[in-house]
Amino acid sequence: MKRSILTVLAIISACTATAMAEEYNGALSVGGSYSNISGQKAKFNEYKNLGSGAQVGLDLNYRGDSGYYWSGLADFSLMNGRSLDDAVTTDMNFNFKTGKTDVFKASLFYNEITHNITDNARTFQSGIGTSVISGPTPTATNFVNSFDYGIKRKNYGAEAEVSLKSPFFFLTHVERNEAKGLLPMSIRDTTTIEAPAPIDYATDTLFLQTGYRSKEIIFTIDGSISKFNNDNTAFSSYVNNVRTFAYLPPNNESYSIGGALMYKIPVFDSVLMVRASNVLTDSSFQFRESIPAGRPTWNGKVQDTSASIALTSRPLSKLSTN
């Protein structure tokens, strides 16, 4: 692999100001890079696009005398694509937090992670990126369609907690995870071929928690709902008018409820911890093959109940038990 990279980074501003116990500080950075890579470009850029382009970073913070605070952190890059099919790519990560001491706190976040696998892969089939691809019998000369193997993941959401200067609190967390791209998959009919499987996954999660906190005891009750959605649960390939199916992860839903207790026992510095939870995962899937009985639906359900208890103590200064 031959590579050459030139990076230029400029710190535009970094300042701190204090007035009446209020504090502001922040920094802005702007940079650029140039790269000339030959060989395995996807491997060199496996988890980050290190092409030619610009980067911007921003970090701002504020804390007031009333206990209110906020902070923001972001970095953004705009790069030339890693192939002719992807002229421009962007990477962005963002995190914002705010709150007031012992009253509330909240946050927003967004980040991207790219996994580049192979650049300029070739196939004899058409319809790349869809759930149905087709083509003639493969020969040495008809691998004319090019594409990139890789997955781009996005994760974003928000969280908020309210306590209002009391030992009771309520917390909520919402989050979405997305994965899109192409992955290699083997499909077999009369022979085995490699086909680009379309990945379009999304998982939505809602988490709720409430409880009581003090120096001696922490008691919480929590619950969550998580839904996984796949737009392409079945993937098919036509070769010489012969249709073959392959299957990707089916849609599913998960529900959980649990509780936890931590209690500091005033004997031997003992701490009692108890946790119990119940999780139910439900999924259904319809097969696509034509069989005499039709297209059966597979239904799956898994329930998991767990409980644990632990007691740690320190009867002597150099002896602990659990």
Side-chain angles (χ1 to χ4, degrees):
M1 178 189 298
K2 178 183 177 181
R3 63 189 184 190
S4 60
I5 295 181
L6 174 65
T7 301
V8 179
L9 181 65
I11 305 299
I12 301 302
S13 64
C15 61
T16 300
T18 303
M20 299 180 62
E22 293 184 334
E23 181 178 289
Y24 300 83
N25 62 76
L28 172 66
S29 61
V30 178
S33 66
Y34 168 77
S35 66
N36 181 16
I37 307 167
S38 60
Q40 301 179 13
K41 295 182 180 181
K43 187 65 177 178
F44 183 76
N45 291 283
E46 186 169 4
Y47 294 105
K48 184 75 172 179
N49 185 7
L50 300 177
S52 301
Q55 303 98 26
V56 177
L58 179 65
D59 184 5
L60 297 174
N61 298 276
Y62 165 80
R63 180 170 293 275
D65 55 356
S66 64
Y68 174 74
Y69 66 90
W70 58 260
S71 64
L73 178 65
D75 61 83
F76 176 84
S77 64
L78 184 66
M79 297 286 175
N80 66 315
R82 58 190 180 94
S83 73
L84 295 177
D85 297 328
D86 188 17
V88 177
T89 62
T90 59
D91 291 316
M92 182 176 181
N93 296 282
F94 170 81
N95 194 298
F96 177 79
K97 297 180 180 180
T98 187
K100 189 173 183 179
T101 306
D102 298 328
V103 177
F104 78 96
K105 56 184 177 181
S107 64
L108 297 171
F109 62 90
Y110 175 90
N111 60 75
E112 297 178 0
I113 298 176
T114 300
H115 186 189
N116 299 318
I117 300 174
T118 300
D119 281 344
N120 294 318
R122 292 187 174 273
T123 182
F124 63 96
Q125 296 183 311
S126 59
I128 308 303
T130 69
S131 60
V132 180
I133 61 175
S134 61
T137 301
T139 66
T141 59
N142 62 4
F143 283 75
V144 295
N145 296 322
S146 63
F147 61 94
D148 297 335
Y149 277 129
I151 295 293
K152 188 163 190 175
R153 302 181 185 275
K154 296 180 180 180
N155 173 232
Y156 51 93
E159 182 175 293
E161 181 180 324
V162 179
S163 59
L164 302 178
K165 294 186 177 181
S166 75
F168 298 95
F169 71 94
F170 176 79
L171 180 146
T172 180
H173 178 96
V174 292
E175 184 173 346
R176 182 177 177 88
N177 288 276
E178 298 177 356
K180 294 185 178 183
L182 296 171
L183 287 180
M185 174 175 285
S186 295
I187 297 182
R188 180 174 178 81
D189 45 23
T190 57
T191 184
T192 300
I193 63 171
E194 178 186 296
I199 304 301
D200 193 356
Y201 304 158
T203 303
D204 296 302
T205 302
L206 170 64
F207 176 80
L208 301 174
Q209 184 182 64
T210 187
Y212 175 91
R213 285 187 300 222
S214 68
K215 293 182 178 179
E216 294 79 22
I217 186 171
I218 299 177
F219 174 72
T220 62
I221 298 175
D222 58 75
S224 68
I225 300 174
S226 181
K227 294 186 177 183
F228 171 81
N229 182 71
N230 178 12
D231 285 346
N232 301 299
T233 56
F235 173 53
S236 62
S237 171
Y238 281 98
V239 179
N240 283 339
N241 294 321
V242 177
R243 188 177 188 182
T244 306
F245 285 97
Y247 294 99
L248 296 170
N251 300 336
N252 62 76
E253 299 178 354
S254 180
Y255 307 89
S256 70
I257 186 170
L261 171 68
M262 187 194 76
Y263 176 55
K264 291 185 178 180
I265 304 173
V267 178
F268 298 138
D269 290 331
S270 301
V271 177
L272 174 67
M273 292 177 287
V274 180
R275 171 70 182 175
S277 65
N278 184 72
V279 181
L280 175 65
T281 302
D282 192 7
S283 179
S284 62
F285 181 77
Q286 187 178 52
F287 290 92
R288 300 296 181 90
E289 285 86 355
S290 297
I291 58 178
R295 295 179 175 179
T297 299
W298 174 85
N299 294 300
K301 183 177 293 186
V302 176
Q303 185 169 0
D304 183 18
T305 302
S306 62
S308 62
I309 183 170
L311 177 65
T312 62
S313 302
R314 188 183 292 273
L316 300 174
S317 59
K318 296 184 179 181
L319 176 66
S320 62
T321 62
N322 57 60

